[in-house]
Amino acid sequence: MQDEAVPTRFLPAKRLNREQILVIAEEIAQSPSAASLELMPLGVVILNHTRQIVYANERFVTMTHAPSVDAILGKRLGEALGCDHAGETEGGCGTTRFCRYCGAARAIIKSLAGQRDTQECSISRSGASTLEALNLQVWAAPMEFNDKQLVLNSIIDIGHEKALLGY
């Protein structure tokens, strides 16, 4: 695990190492549920207890602009999506002062505490030539898999709804 002494302004910074992430990812990939999650028409991500990605379907990978799921395994949600705040602290996504107000972080926290939650999340990310704003709805639910506490997330881009409402 990463050093727990990393300063944070919100959530713990500790992480599992790459090898630990890959073990969990392989267990999930071999489960019958993985094929079903891949068919979902929305982004699906499974996070471990340190909020790191251990599974992502192709729809979510497309949202991140990553070349493959392997490129985002072990990252946190904001890091994978390119949140401008995720790189502001050594601890990454969830550890900045801005993360206190992030709907995704709040939904994940509730889920780690055993409750389902749905929140809106606005992410600013820098594109190749411009600043891009993502408006997402994040649903999070606790799940247990092979004695591991995980969070199942579905992520929907609601930017078009915000535009229609004039936000």
Side-chain angles (χ1 to χ4, degrees):
M1 283 212 201
Q2 183 184 35
D3 181 16
E4 294 184 40
V6 173
T8 180
R9 295 195 150 189
F10 188 42
L11 298 172
K14 77 176 181 178
R15 296 174 187 257
L16 296 183
N17 65 40
R18 178 82 176 162
E19 292 77 28
Q20 293 168 309
I21 294 294
L22 293 176
V23 166
I24 299 168
E26 183 61 29
E27 289 174 357
I28 293 171
Q30 291 179 3
S31 77
S33 301
S36 298
L37 293 175
E38 197 58 48
L39 297 173
M40 298 297 293
L42 47 104
V44 176
V45 178
I46 299 176
L47 308 176
N48 67 4
H49 69 285
T50 57
R51 306 179 320 279
Q52 292 171 271
I53 296 170
V54 293
Y55 171 85
N57 70 357
E58 191 59 39
R59 177 80 172 131
F60 180 78
V61 174
T62 299
M63 292 172 80
T64 68
H65 303 299
S68 68
V69 69
D70 190 58
I72 61 171
L73 285 177
K75 291 185 177 186
R76 294 194 171 131
L77 203 58
E79 295 160 358
L81 290 168
C83 175
D84 284 341
H85 298 296
E88 291 181 4
T89 63
E90 185 182 348
C93 175
T95 65
T96 76
R97 62 189 173 103
F98 298 101
C99 300
R100 293 180 184 276
Y101 310 103
C102 175
R106 290 196 312 260
I108 292 165
I109 291 168
K110 276 196 169 179
S111 187
L112 286 170
Q115 300 174 355
R116 292 181 185 188
D117 195 30
T118 302
Q119 298 274 334
E120 288 186 12
C121 171
S122 296
I123 292 179
S124 296
R125 66 181 180 180
S126 299
S129 62
T130 182
L131 184 65
E132 182 181 5
L134 291 176
N135 289 297
L136 308 170
Q137 182 179 42
V138 178
W139 174 82
M143 69 178 277
E144 191 172 307
F145 181 78
N146 291 351
D147 296 322
K148 293 172 184 67
Q149 181 186 14
L150 302 172
V151 177
L152 175 64
N153 296 272
S154 67
I155 299 166
I156 303 168
D157 185 343
I158 57 170
H160 61 286
E161 293 175 25
K162 294 287 188 179
L164 288 173
L165 295 173
Y167 290 117

